[in-house]
Amino acid sequence: RKEVEQDPGPFNVPEGATVAFNCTYSNSASQSFFWYRQDCRKEPKLLMSVYSSGNEDGRFTAQLNRASQYISLLIRDSKLSDSATYLCAVYHSGNTPLVFGKGTRLSVIA
Amino acid sequence: SQTIHQWPATLVQPVGSPLSLECTVEGTSNPNLYWYRQAAGRGLQLLFYSVGIGQISSEVPQNLSASRPQDRQFILSSKKLLLSDSGFYLCAWSVKGDGYTFGSGTRLTVV
């Protein structure tokens, strides 16, 4: 089993739709979790950290399910500008590098 | 505020030529530094990381090397490039336990 796995997509959704991505991780001792957004031919940018209690930033909600070892990202009211690849990242411990998933591609269609 | 600079933005190099990519961070001290490569349509591959001056950990054995001559400077090098070295090279920094901030990347094409 790979350390961090994501459905590559693409997810093609109409504007205004709600879309959710999951990311599973294999190390039950993982400590910190993040979602990144990467636009085509650009660097990844931190979208949000994922806290144990879940967190929300506008239309974006991130949640952690430790029992099932996955994190999720929910995007409400999708905009054309949300089209990008979304990468999850997991820290096993503070001294080890982040492990990135390969990303899920989202296309929001007018 | 912290900033990360990476250059050049694009590079076309012949097979067998040397490579030097530089990354510098401003506004922080003793950051963790990372070099990643992303092949076209692929995920991020960690190449090297450093937790301090002169400390380099290599994740993937290949014809690349990294050095950290100063606290906020990270250099990726090769003596002889291969076609398979083409890709999008990204430098990143973090403090322990936090998410990474990436530089704008160097798109390398080896011809």
Side-chain angles (χ1 to χ4, degrees):
Chain A
R1 183 180 176 184
K2 294 180 182 176
E3 290 187 85
V4 179
E5 289 195 77
Q6 295 182 254
D7 182 340
F11 284 58
N12 299 314
V13 302
E15 274 187 292
T18 296
V19 61
F21 313 130
N22 282 346
C23 166
T24 59
Y25 58 95
S26 60
N27 189 333
S28 60
S30 296
Q31 298 180 353
S32 303
F33 309 87
F34 306 90
W35 282 103
Y36 283 77
R37 170 193 169 125
Q38 186 174 23
D39 292 296
C40 187
R41 301 180 69 83
K42 297 287 188 180
E43 75 275 20
K45 293 187 177 177
L46 182 63
L47 182 63
M48 55 200 308
S49 304
V50 186
Y51 304 124
S52 297
S53 56
N55 47 303
E56 189 174 309
D57 183 3
R59 297 181 293 109
F60 297 82
T61 300
Q63 291 191 314
L64 167 64
N65 185 318
R66 284 196 181 274
S68 300
Q69 294 182 209
Y70 73 88
I71 62 173
S72 63
L73 178 68
L74 180 79
I75 306 175
R76 290 181 298 278
D77 189 23
S78 299
K79 311 291 185 191
L80 293 175
S81 58
D82 294 333
S83 297
T85 297
Y86 291 84
L87 306 167
C88 63
V90 177
Y91 265 129
H92 297 324
S93 73
N95 292 322
T96 60
L98 270 178
V99 180
F100 284 86
K102 294 189 184 303
T104 297
R105 192 152 57 90
L106 171 66
S107 290
V108 181
I109 304 163
Chain B
S1 63
Q2 302 92 352
T3 56
I4 179 168
H5 302 279
Q6 192 180 342
W7 66 92
T10 59
L11 195 57
V12 179
Q13 293 284 102
V15 169
S17 64
L19 174 74
S20 181
L21 301 180
E22 188 166 340
C23 171
T24 59
V25 180
E26 296 177 358
T28 187
S29 296
N30 197 31
N32 292 345
L33 296 171
Y34 310 87
W35 277 111
Y36 283 85
R37 177 172 62 199
Q38 190 174 39
R42 306 291 292 275
L44 292 167
Q45 179 187 31
L46 179 63
L47 301 175
F48 301 95
Y49 69 97
S50 171
V51 299
I53 296 175
Q55 299 180 53
I56 308 293
S57 296
S58 173
E59 290 293 302
V60 183
Q62 54 201 328
N63 69 322
L64 298 172
S65 62
S67 62
R68 185 170 177 173
Q70 300 180 44
D71 181 44
R72 289 168 287 177
Q73 185 184 31
F74 205 22
I75 298 172
L76 181 70
S77 304
S78 174
K79 292 182 179 178
K80 287 186 178 182
L81 284 168
L82 306 172
L83 287 174
S84 57
D85 291 324
S86 294
F88 189 36
Y89 287 81
L90 291 155
C91 180
W93 75 273
S94 75
V95 293
K96 180 179 171 179
D98 280 353
Y100 295 179
T101 300
F102 286 87
S104 54
T106 295
R107 198 161 299 279
L108 171 68
T109 304
V110 182
V111 296

